[in-house]
Amino acid sequence: MSEFVRLEPHVIDEILAICDTVIAELDKASRIADGLGRAEGFGEFESAKQLAAGFARKGAGTPESAKERVDQFIVAFTQLRDAFASGGEAFLEAEFDWVRQLASIEQEL
C-alpha cells in the first residue's frame, strides 16, 4: 500500500488503552451473555415454554443472538487494537475490513 500513517507513540498508547478498556467491558458482557441461553421461570403452559425458548434463542446459540453479537464485537475491536499496535501501518490495510465488520454487525441487529 502506498499510503502510510505515522502515529506518535503516546497516541498509539492512548488508542490501545481505549481498545483494551472496550474489550474488557465486552468480555464482561460476553460472560454475562453466557447465561442468556437459559430462560427459566416462565411457567409450565405451552405458551410459556414457547416464550422461554424464544428468549433463549435471542440470548445465545444462534448467529443473531446477543452472545454471538458481543463476541463479534470483541473480534472486531481486537483486530482494530492489533492494527494500531503495529504503529498505524496495518491500520490502513485493516481499516476497511474492520469498519465493514462493525457495520455488518450493526446492520444485522
Side-chain angles (χ1 to χ4, degrees):
M1 178 168 253
S2 62
E3 298 180 54
F4 181 72
V5 172
R6 183 181 184 295
L7 298 173
E8 296 294 327
H10 73 279
V11 174
I12 293 172
D13 291 342
E14 289 179 34
I15 293 170
L16 295 179
I18 292 167
C19 288
D20 287 338
T21 300
V22 171
I23 292 167
E25 290 301 316
L26 288 169
D27 281 337
K28 288 179 194 175
S30 180
R31 286 191 298 277
I32 291 169
D34 281 336
L36 294 177
R38 296 181 300 276
E40 300 172 354
F42 286 87
E44 295 301 317
F45 292 116
E46 188 58 34
S47 60
K49 291 177 183 177
Q50 291 172 359
L51 184 62
F55 275 104
R57 276 191 307 278
K58 289 181 184 221
T62 66
E64 298 83 22
S65 67
K67 166 71 171 138
E68 281 68 20
R69 292 291 187 218
V70 170
D71 290 344
Q72 290 169 354
F73 277 110
I74 291 170
V75 169
F77 271 95
T78 300
Q79 290 174 349
L80 175 63
R81 181 195 60 205
D82 294 346
F84 275 109
S86 73
E89 192 170 342
F91 174 74
L92 286 176
E93 297 169 5
E95 177 180 12
F96 295 107
D97 185 48
W98 69 261
V99 169
R100 189 172 35 256
Q101 277 185 297
L102 287 176
S104 71
I105 293 168
E106 289 176 356
Q107 287 175 358
E108 294 172 5
L109 294 177

